[in-house]
């Protein structure tokens, strides 16, 4: 009887031992799986800093490219306006152009400055209208090497009338090839007609000839 109890006790102890061994084996994988899960989870956050750092670089690249793509402002300076010529300077310029036109027998330039109702007295004392004065310039046979207006003096009479007194010198050869050097004194009267200054009268006197 004691032997039977001993066998039963040994059997029960063996059963309990096997059950405990099974429990330990079952518990051991569970404990071993926990570190494996932690190892797999730790690499997961590593892509996050890469994604966070990449957008921070994009604004910097854009900031660096902005000066290259944005054109520099161009400062424009308005063009300098020409100084308005005074009436006196303009009339002197007309007299100089008139003298130059005589040397070239350029009646078109003289005609543009002379009024249609012009009246004048030439160096020989002959009264001429515009047509006669222009015809004299056109049919002149002299060859000029120099023509110039000198000692010009402008006198204004109101806002629309001016008298120019001056000297004119002409050098060259006549139709026979003889050299000449002539000096004239002249008085020209100019009038502003609608913003256009025209010579309305002229008096020319020969004061020297060589």
């Amino acid at each position: 009887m004691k032997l039977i109890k001993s066998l039963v006790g040994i059997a029960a102890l063996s059963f309990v031992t096997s059950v405990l061994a099974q429990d330990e084996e079952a518990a051991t994988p569970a404990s071993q799986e926990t570190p494996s899960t932690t190892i797999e989870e730790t690499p997961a956050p590593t892509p996050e800093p890469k994604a966070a750092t990449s957008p921070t670089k994009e604004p910097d690249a854009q900031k660096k490219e902005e000066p290259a793509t944005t054109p520099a402002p161009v400062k424009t300076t308005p063009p300098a306006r020409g100084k308005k010529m005074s009436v006196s300077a303009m009339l002197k310029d007309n007299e100089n152009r008139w003298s130059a036109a005589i040397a070239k027998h350029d009646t078109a330039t003289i005609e543009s400055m002379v009024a249609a109702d012009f009246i004048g007295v030439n160096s020989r004392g002959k009264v001429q209208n515009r047509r006669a004065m222009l015809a004299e310039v056109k049919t002149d046979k002299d060859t000029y090497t120099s023509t110039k207006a000198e000692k010009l003096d402008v006198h204004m009479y109101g806002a629309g009338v001016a008298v120019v007194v001056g000297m004119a010198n002409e050098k060259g050869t006549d139709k026979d090839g003889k050299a000449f050097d002539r000096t004239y004194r002249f008085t020209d009267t100019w009038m502003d007609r609608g913003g256009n200054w025209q010579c309305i009268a002229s008096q020319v006197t020969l004061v020297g000839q060589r």
Side-chain angles (χ1 to χ4, degrees):
M1 190 68 180
K2 290 181 181 179
L3 179 63
I4 293 170
K5 289 181 180 179
S6 298
L7 292 172
V8 170
I10 292 168
L13 182 61
S14 301
F15 177 76
V16 171
T17 304
S18 63
V19 169
L20 291 174
Q22 288 178 358
D23 291 338
E24 287 177 0
E25 289 176 359
T28 303
S31 61
Q32 290 175 353
E33 288 177 1
T34 30
S36 64
T37 54
T38 54
I39 292 171
E40 290 177 358
E41 290 176 357
T42 47
T46 51
E48 292 180 1
K50 292 182 181 179
T53 53
S54 58
T56 55
K57 292 181 181 180
E58 290 180 358
D60 295 336
Q62 291 177 357
K63 289 180 181 179
K64 291 179 181 179
E65 291 177 356
E66 282 179 359
T69 55
T70 305
V74 179
K75 294 181 180 180
T76 56
T77 304
R81 300 178 62 182
K83 187 177 180 180
K84 187 177 179 181
M85 186 179 290
S86 66
V87 174
S88 177
M90 181 267 297
L91 294 178
K92 289 180 180 180
D93 182 66
N94 285 354
E95 295 289 358
N96 288 324
R97 292 194 297 121
W98 193 328
S99 293
I102 290 174
K104 301 175 183 177
H105 305 97
D106 178 9
T107 56
T109 297
I110 299 174
E111 185 177 5
S112 67
M113 295 185 287
V114 176
D117 54 351
F118 169 85
I119 190 71
V121 179
N122 66 10
S123 59
R124 297 184 298 275
K126 184 178 181 180
V127 178
Q128 296 176 319
N129 58 17
R130 184 172 79 161
R131 181 184 298 177
M133 185 267 292
L134 293 174
E136 183 177 75
V137 174
K138 187 175 182 179
T139 58
D140 183 16
K141 303 299 181 182
D142 292 341
T143 301
Y144 298 89
T145 58
S146 173
T147 58
K148 58 183 178 180
E150 302 174 312
K151 300 179 181 180
L152 299 175
D153 191 11
V154 180
H155 297 266
M156 299 296 302
Y157 296 91
V161 178
V163 173
V164 181
V165 177
M167 305 286 288
N169 180 259
E170 299 174 352
K171 296 179 181 179
T173 55
D174 60 18
K175 60 180 180 179
D176 298 324
K178 185 179 179 180
F180 62 80
D181 185 349
R182 306 167 185 153
T183 302
Y184 302 91
R185 185 176 294 279
F186 66 86
T187 302
D188 289 341
T189 303
W190 297 79
M191 180 178 288
D192 182 6
R193 289 181 168 175
N196 183 28
W197 283 84
Q198 294 182 324
C199 183
I200 59 174
S202 182
Q203 169 76 47
V204 183
T205 304
L206 181 64
V207 295
Q209 183 174 3
R210 291 183 293 180

